[in-house]
Amino acid sequence: MKKFLAIYLGTTERLARWEALPAAQQAEREKAGMAGWSKWAMDNVGSTVDGGGPLGKTKRIDPQGITDIRNPMAAYTIVEAESHQAAAQLFRNHPHFMLFPGDAVEVMECLPIPGM
């Protein structure tokens, strides 16, 4: 089995639309979203290596120094699957973007370090 890193993405535009909803509608969608996410987690427990979690603020480190930045990364999960396509299939219709204001999930293979 190969390991894959899934990054949950969300833009400020989509979050702004969520925040513009009436509080009762936000609460209803949040409740449905958490139920959906819990179901997804239970349905995929055999494939999940690290359930991950939300990501905090970002610092960029480069030759010029350390800078506070924004990016669309919101959370992560690590899964195992036979192929990249199989890993991607795990996230079809995920609550992150079907119920919550997330935009997408990107999945990439965790490759071995060359020469090790």
Side-chain angles (χ1 to χ4, degrees):
M1 293 285 249
K2 298 176 181 180
K3 287 185 186 173
F4 297 87
L5 174 65
I7 299 290
Y8 301 87
L9 303 173
T11 59
T12 55
E13 295 83 12
R14 190 137 174 197
L15 183 58
R17 287 195 304 264
W18 171 277
E19 291 172 345
L21 295 172
Q25 191 175 358
Q26 277 186 37
E28 182 181 306
R29 287 186 63 187
E30 186 171 324
K31 183 178 178 181
M34 290 308 298
W37 202 302
S38 293
K39 180 181 180 336
W40 181 90
M42 291 305 298
D43 290 348
N44 294 287
V45 70
S47 299
T48 303
V49 174
D50 179 344
L55 298 171
K57 294 182 180 185
T58 303
K59 291 197 179 286
R60 177 186 173 95
I61 302 90
D62 61 28
Q64 287 71 47
I66 300 171
T67 310
D68 291 331
I69 66 163
R70 280 192 95 128
N71 64 48
M73 291 184 268
Y76 78 97
T77 299
I78 299 174
V79 296
E80 283 186 329
E82 291 292 332
S83 68
H84 200 171
Q85 184 64 28
Q89 288 290 339
L90 295 173
F91 295 91
R92 288 198 48 124
N93 300 314
H94 194 281
H96 174 69
F97 52 82
M98 297 300 290
L99 298 168
F100 284 117
D103 288 289
V105 178
E106 293 184 1
V107 177
M108 61 215 80
E109 185 175 354
C110 300
L111 300 171
I113 297 171
M116 296 190 90

